[in-house]
Amino acid sequence: MDTVYWIIQYGKVFCGYLFLMYLWPSVVFGGYLKGKTRTYRFSFCVTVQVVIVNTVVLMLGLFHVLNRWTVVLLFYGIFICVCVKKLVFFLRSGIRFSGIEKKRYRLRHIRLRIKERLWEIGRKISPFVYKNGVLAAVLMFGMAYFSYGAFQIHSYGWGDLYAHHEWIYGLTQGNIFSDGVYPEAMHCFIYTMSMLFGIRVYSILLFLQGIHVTVFLVSVYLLLREVFHWRYSPVFVLMLFLTVDVVSADYVYSMFRLQITLPLEFGLHTQFLCALYLIRYLREAANFTRKGKTSKFYWDENLFLFMMSLSASIAIHFYVTIMAFILCVSFALFALKKIFSRNYLLPLSLSVACGCVIAITPMAGALASGIPFNYSIQWAMDAMDGEQARQWQVEEKDPIEADDEEGTDVQYKGIGLSQWKEAAEKGISSIEKIINGIYRKGYKTLYGDIRSGWILALTGIMIVMCLFAGHRKDRCLYRFCCGYPPVILFTFIFMLLFAAPYMGYPDLISDSRFCSAGRMMILAVMVMPADMLLSWLTRFFKEPVLGRTSVLLTAGIYVFAILTGNYRGFLFYELSRYNSAVEVTNSIIEEFPQYSYTIVAPTDELYPVNLYGWHEELQMFVEKCSDTEYTLPSEYVFIYVEKKPLLYAQAHFFEGPFWMGEEKYSEIYWKKYSKKFPDSGASQAPEIKASEISEDAAQSDIVESENEWFSYKQLENRTILESKAYECCQRFAETYPQAMKVYYEDDDFVCYYFRQNTGTLYNLGIGQDGR
C-alpha cells in the first residue's frame, strides 16, 4: 500500500464532501438560491445543509428507523427527483419542434441546449476566476498545508478522534448519542457521507478537516470584506495567517487543531457567518411587505442565514456558539440603537430563539427518552474555573505577582468620605494589575515582547485614526475606517479571555481553542494601514493597476516570510501507531473477507477495524497466553508487535520541503505541553522516540494501574507488554511451526498471522498440546 492509495482515499473524501456539502443543497434548493449572490449560496450550503443533515439523522434515530437504506433513500431520492424535474424542464424549454421535425432534430436540439448551457456557465465563471483567482490560490495553499500531515502520518493525529469514531460507529448501528447527549452535527455529516458513498469512516476522519478548513478561511474572508474597503485586504490577512510563524505553544496548538477532524474546528466558520449576517441584516433590512401589507418589523434573507448559522453552531459544538456570541457582541455594541429599536429587536430575538430550538430539539428528544448528557459536558463546566489552564502554564518569575493579593479585592461596604481615597487607590491598583496581566499573560505570552510592541503600537494608531475619522464623517477617511472598531474591540476581548485563567479568573473557552479566531482578527488589525493606503490610492490609480499590485503583495508576504526567517513551521500529529501498522490494517481489510479475522493489537486498531473484522486487546492476549482454554474463534488471526515500542502519543512534528514550512515548533510546543502530557514527548521527523523489546523486559511485570491505557501510553510498560507479546508469538511458532507466518515485517514492526479451522481452533495457551 503506497501513496497512491491515500491519494485515492483523499479524492473519495473530497468528492463526497463536495456533493453533500455543496452540490446536494445547490440542486435541491436551486429554485430558492436562483438569483442569490455567491456569498449567500456558499453560506446557505455550509450552514443550512449541516443543520438538515443533523436534524434528519437524529430524528430518524429518535424514531428508531436510522439505517443505511433510509439515509440513502432520503438523500439520493430527493436529489434524483429534483434532478429529473429539472432535466424535464430543461429539455422542454428553448426551441420547439413538431411532427417529423421534432423526431429528426431531437438529438441536435439536446446538443444545442447543452452547448448553450455550458457557454453560459463559462461566461459566468470567467469573471469570477479573474476576480478571485488569488483567493483560490491562497485557499489551495492553505488546504495543502493542513492536509499535509495526513499524508505523512496515516493514523489519527489526536486521541479524541477515537471517541468521535465510536460515536459515528454508534450511528451506523442506529444508535444516536451512543455515549451521551452531545452536539453531533459533525458525526451525522460524516455518517451520511459514509452511507451515501461507502467511504470508510477512518478515511473521512483522517482527511475531512484538511478539506473543510477552506470553509473556515472563506468565512473569515467574507466577514473581512464587510470590514475592509479594499477587496484584496482580506486576502492579505489569510496569507499572513498561513505564512507567518507563531511564537507561542498556544498558537501552535490551535494551528494543529485546524488539521484534525474535531467538532469545534468543523464549526469554526459559523461564528464568522453569524457576525457577517448580523452586520448585513442591520445594514440592509427594511420593512417587509406581503400581499400589500407592510410589517412594522424588519425581516430579510440575511436574518434567515444569521439564524441558521447560529443553529449550526449549536448543533456542532457549544464552544463555537460562545465564540459566535463574543464576535457578534463586538459588532453589536456599535449598533445598539438599531438593535434595541422595535423594528430590529423582535425579529432578532425570534431568530435566535428559532435557531436554538431547531438545534436543541433532537437533543431534548434524546434526553426525554432517557439518554444522559455526555461526560464532556461536565468536563467543559469543570474546565471553566481555569484551574487546568493555570496548572499547565509555563511558570515565570514576576515581581508583580508577588504583590499583596489583598489589594485586588476592593471592599465597598460602608465607604465614607474618609475611606473613598483608599477605595479609589485599591480600585486603580486592581485595574492596573488587570491591564498588566492582560499584557503579560495575553500579548506577551502569545507574541513575545517585540511583536507585542508592534501589535499594540499599530492598534493604538488605528484607534486614533478611527476616532479622528468619526468626527469627519463627510470625508473618505470615515468610509475607510467605519468597519475597523468592532474588530479592534474583539482583539481586546480575545486577549482578556485568553489571559483570564492565568490571572485567577474563569476560563470561558478552554485549551487555546479561541486562538485561531483571535489570531485572524489581530492580523486583520495589522492589515488595516495597508487597507487604508490602497483604498486612498484608488483615487489616483485605476483598479486593475492596484489589483496587480495587490497580487504581487500577496506573493510578497510569502517571499518576505521565508527570506526573513519568519516563515511558518511544520505542524505535528500525535503518533500512536507506526505507518506500517496502519497500512497492514488497511491491507487486511481490503484483502480478507469481512469478519473472517481477528487483529490482536492495542486499542488503536479497534476503531479502524470496526464493521470489517474483530479486535482483541494485546494486553488481554498477553495475559491469557498461559490459559489452556484461550482461543480466538476466527479463521485468521493477526498479531501486531512493535519491535521498537513507541512513546505513545508523542507530538511528532513533520518534515518536508522548505517551501512548505520549517522545523521550528517542537521546542516551543513541548516547553508548555510537557506539563499536560508528562508520559509523552515531542519528536522531530525523521526521529521517532521509541525503545526496544528484549528478553529481560519480557520477564518483568507490568505496573498495575486502574487506567487500562497505562500499559500502552507509559513507555516502560509498553516495552514490557510488547516484549511479552513477541515472546508469546515465538513460543507459538515453536509449537506450531507450520501455522505461524509473518504477514509483514520491518525494523520497527512485525505482524504475525495464522489460519485455523474454525471447527478445531488452535489453543493459544503457549506450550499446551495441539488443537
Side-chain angles (χ1 to χ4, degrees):
M1 199 162 295
D2 52 17
T3 306
V4 175
Y5 171 84
W6 297 109
I7 293 174
I8 293 172
Q9 292 298 309
Y10 187 86
K12 288 181 179 179
V13 176
F14 184 78
C15 293
Y17 174 79
L18 288 182
F19 174 85
L20 188 58
M21 184 67 85
Y22 297 108
L23 183 59
W24 194 93
S26 296
V27 171
V28 174
F29 299 100
Y32 172 74
L33 295 174
K34 187 177 181 180
K36 297 291 193 294
T37 63
R38 287 187 293 269
T39 297
Y40 191 92
R41 293 199 295 270
F42 166 82
S43 304
F44 182 94
C45 290
V46 300
T47 56
V48 176
Q49 180 66 349
V50 171
V51 174
I52 289 174
V53 172
N54 178 71
T55 305
V56 168
V57 171
L58 294 183
M59 294 307 292
L60 288 174
L62 282 175
F63 290 101
H64 306 291
V65 290
L66 178 63
N67 57 65
R68 180 171 191 172
W69 299 113
T70 56
V71 171
V72 168
L73 180 63
L74 276 174
F75 284 93
Y76 275 143
I78 293 173
F79 183 79
I80 291 172
C81 288
V82 174
C83 286
V84 170
K85 182 179 178 181
K86 289 179 179 291
L87 181 62
V88 170
F89 176 80
F90 172 75
L91 294 177
R92 288 179 177 177
S93 62
I95 304 171
R96 298 184 181 276
F97 297 89
S98 60
I100 297 174
E101 268 190 323
K102 185 172 183 178
K103 295 178 181 178
R104 184 179 299 173
Y105 294 104
R106 186 185 298 274
L107 293 177
R108 184 168 178 262
H109 172 227
I110 293 173
R111 286 197 298 269
L112 286 171
R113 292 290 296 149
I114 291 174
K115 287 181 180 179
E116 289 175 5
R117 186 60 177 165
L118 291 175
W119 179 257
E120 182 182 349
I121 292 172
R123 285 191 294 106
K124 290 181 179 179
I125 290 178
S126 295
F128 173 78
V129 172
Y130 175 75
K131 290 183 179 180
N132 298 281
V134 178
L135 174 62
V138 171
L139 293 178
M140 287 188 287
F141 183 58
M143 191 167 68
Y145 179 59
F146 290 111
S147 298
Y148 184 74
F151 289 94
Q152 302 300 302
I153 298 177
H154 307 319
S155 58
Y156 289 155
W158 189 242
D160 288 0
L161 265 67
Y162 294 122
H164 297 303
H165 193 144
E166 184 179 357
W167 299 346
I168 298 167
Y169 176 75
L171 293 175
T172 64
Q173 304 303 303
N175 301 319
I176 61 172
F177 304 117
S178 58
D179 201 22
V181 175
Y182 185 89
E184 269 203 317
M186 184 196 80
H187 310 89
C188 293
F189 189 88
I190 294 173
Y191 164 75
T192 304
M193 273 185 66
S194 180
M195 294 300 101
L196 292 180
F197 300 100
I199 309 171
R200 289 180 58 198
V201 171
Y202 185 85
S203 297
I204 298 175
L205 283 172
L206 191 63
F207 292 118
L208 180 63
Q209 186 57 33
I211 300 167
H212 185 69
V213 74
T214 55
V215 176
F216 166 69
L217 298 175
V218 171
S219 300
V220 174
Y221 171 83
L222 294 176
L223 176 61
L224 294 181
R225 285 290 287 122
E226 301 293 321
V227 172
F228 291 126
H229 191 267
W230 178 239
R231 65 188 181 92
Y232 281 99
S233 297
V235 179
F236 298 158
V237 176
L238 296 184
M239 198 61 179
L240 286 169
F241 182 82
L242 293 172
T243 55
V244 177
D245 65 342
V246 296
V247 293
S248 74
D250 301 279
Y251 273 150
V252 173
Y253 180 73
S254 68
M255 294 288 281
F256 149 77
R257 288 181 64 97
L258 288 177
Q259 63 185 344
I260 306 296
T261 308
L262 296 167
L264 185 139
E265 280 62 37
F266 186 79
L268 279 179
H269 65 284
T270 58
Q271 61 182 309
F272 301 104
L273 295 181
C274 277
L276 169 64
Y277 287 99
L278 176 63
I279 295 169
R280 289 192 169 187
Y281 169 69
L282 294 175
R283 187 183 64 224
E284 301 173 5
N287 293 99
F288 178 70
T289 301
R290 184 178 183 183
K291 295 182 180 180
K293 296 183 179 180
T294 301
S295 171
K296 296 179 181 179
F297 306 103
Y298 291 162
W299 307 88
D300 72 352
E301 58 191 15
N302 293 312
L303 187 62
F304 169 72
L305 280 188
F306 168 76
M307 176 186 74
M308 297 310 294
S309 299
L310 174 63
S311 183
S313 73
I314 298 171
I316 296 172
H317 201 287
F318 294 145
Y319 271 166
V320 180
T321 308
I322 297 174
M323 295 178 188
F325 173 78
I326 295 167
L327 188 58
C328 288
V329 165
S330 301
F331 286 89
L333 287 176
F334 293 90
L336 288 178
K337 186 176 180 180
K338 271 190 174 183
I339 290 175
F340 285 103
S341 66
R342 70 172 188 173
N343 305 84
Y344 291 96
L345 184 59
L346 181 61
L348 274 172
S349 301
L350 287 176
S351 67
V352 170
C354 289
C356 294
V357 168
I358 292 170
I360 292 174
T361 296
M363 300 184 201
L367 290 170
S369 68
I371 302 175
F373 275 114
N374 179 264
Y375 66 90
S376 297
I377 304 296
Q378 186 59 48
W379 171 86
M381 298 299 294
D382 294 340
M384 282 186 175
D385 64 6
E387 185 59 32
Q388 293 181 4
R390 288 188 287 275
Q391 289 176 355
W392 299 331
Q393 68 177 318
V394 178
E395 299 294 341
E396 295 181 2
K397 293 183 179 180
D398 198 312
I400 298 178
E401 292 182 347
D403 289 349
D404 186 4
E405 294 182 357
E406 294 179 1
T408 61
D409 297 325
V410 181
Q411 302 293 331
Y412 292 102
K413 274 200 267 182
I415 293 180
L417 292 176
S418 61
Q419 297 172 307
W420 174 253
K421 183 177 180 181
E422 181 182 353
E425 289 176 352
K426 288 183 177 180
I428 293 172
S429 175
S430 298
I431 293 173
E432 288 177 348
K433 287 185 178 181
I434 291 174
I435 293 174
N436 188 273
I438 292 173
Y439 173 75
R440 289 185 296 103
K441 300 300 185 181
Y443 287 97
K444 185 178 177 180
T445 297
L446 291 176
Y447 292 100
D449 285 324
I450 297 176
R451 293 192 184 187
S452 295
W454 280 103
I455 290 171
L456 290 173
L458 284 174
T459 303
I461 292 171
M462 294 316 304
I463 291 174
V464 172
M465 295 296 292
C466 290
L467 292 174
F468 180 75
H471 294 286
R472 294 176 172 271
K473 293 185 179 182
D474 58 324
R475 300 290 183 92
C476 64
L477 184 61
Y478 177 76
R479 290 190 295 112
F480 303 157
C481 296
C482 61
Y484 296 169
V487 176
I488 295 172
L489 174 62
F490 175 80
T491 62
F492 287 121
I493 296 175
F494 160 67
M495 282 297 175
L496 174 62
L497 293 177
F498 176 82
Y502 303 121
M503 297 188 296
Y505 299 109
D507 191 7
L508 190 61
I509 301 174
S510 66
D511 220 8
S512 305
R513 301 184 187 196
F514 206 10
C515 283
S516 53
R519 183 171 177 240
M520 276 288 191
M521 295 298 104
I522 288 174
L523 290 173
V525 175
M526 300 301 99
V527 170
M528 286 175 184
D531 179 68
M532 291 180 62
L533 176 61
L534 290 168
S535 300
W536 178 72
L537 288 175
T538 56
R539 302 170 64 186
F540 308 101
F541 298 94
K542 293 182 178 180
E543 185 172 334
V545 174
L546 291 177
R548 295 187 185 96
T549 304
S550 297
V551 172
L552 293 175
L553 285 174
T554 304
I557 292 172
Y558 173 78
V559 174
F560 182 79
I562 293 178
L563 295 179
T564 59
N566 293 306
Y567 191 44
R568 69 190 181 191
F570 285 109
L571 300 174
F572 69 94
Y573 266 16
E574 279 197 346
L575 192 61
S576 57
R577 295 190 288 165
Y578 284 110
N579 278 349
S580 53
V582 179
E583 294 179 358
V584 165
T585 299
N586 290 339
S587 175
I588 294 170
I589 292 172
E590 295 285 340
E591 296 179 11
F592 292 85
Q594 188 176 23
Y595 292 116
S596 67
Y597 53 86
T598 299
I599 293 179
V600 180
T603 312
D604 303 271
E605 302 299 332
L606 167 64
Y607 302 97
V609 83
N610 268 342
L611 301 178
Y612 304 101
W614 308 106
H615 175 268
E616 179 83 348
E617 285 291 339
L618 184 66
Q619 184 175 2
M620 182 176 293
F621 171 79
V622 169
E623 290 174 354
K624 290 189 175 183
C625 267
S626 58
D627 186 348
T628 57
E629 303 297 326
Y630 181 46
T631 60
L632 292 174
S634 61
E635 183 177 1
Y636 298 93
V637 175
F638 296 87
I639 306 170
Y640 290 14
V641 178
E642 293 173 357
K643 294 193 289 185
K644 294 182 179 179
L646 280 170
L647 174 60
Y648 187 78
Q650 61 186 280
H652 187 64
F653 286 81
F654 315 133
E655 61 177 346
F658 76 93
W659 56 267
M660 177 67 76
E662 299 177 0
E663 300 174 2
K664 57 169 56 175
Y665 286 162
S666 59
E667 184 178 350
I668 296 172
Y669 174 81
W670 196 241
K671 182 179 179 182
K672 175 176 180 177
Y673 283 92
S674 58
K675 299 185 69 175
K676 183 176 180 181
F677 307 111
D679 292 321
S680 186
S683 59
Q684 177 66 63
E687 173 205 2
I688 293 178
K689 292 190 175 181
S691 60
E692 289 193 25
I693 58 174
S694 64
E695 293 183 3
D696 291 340
Q699 304 306 315
S700 303
D701 294 327
I702 298 174
V703 178
E704 294 185 2
S705 173
E706 296 180 359
N707 188 342
E708 60 182 11
W709 279 90
F710 188 71
S711 58
Y712 294 138
K713 72 176 185 178
Q714 209 277 339
L715 185 58
E716 182 180 356
N717 273 350
R718 190 180 184 95
T719 304
I720 295 172
L721 181 65
E722 296 287 356
S723 299
K724 289 179 179 292
Y726 182 80
E727 185 181 70
C728 289
C729 291
Q730 296 304 309
R731 290 180 181 176
F732 186 89
E734 292 174 1
T735 306
Y736 307 109
Q738 301 301 320
M740 181 69 87
K741 298 178 181 178
V742 174
Y743 185 78
Y744 173 88
E745 184 173 13
D746 59 26
D747 292 339
D748 305 317
F749 169 82
V750 59
C751 173
Y752 298 103
Y753 85 105
F754 60 86
R755 185 178 184 181
Q756 60 185 344
N757 186 330
T758 54
T760 54
L761 300 175
Y762 281 113
N763 185 344
L764 299 180
I766 304 302
Q768 302 301 319
D769 185 34
R771 293 176 182 269

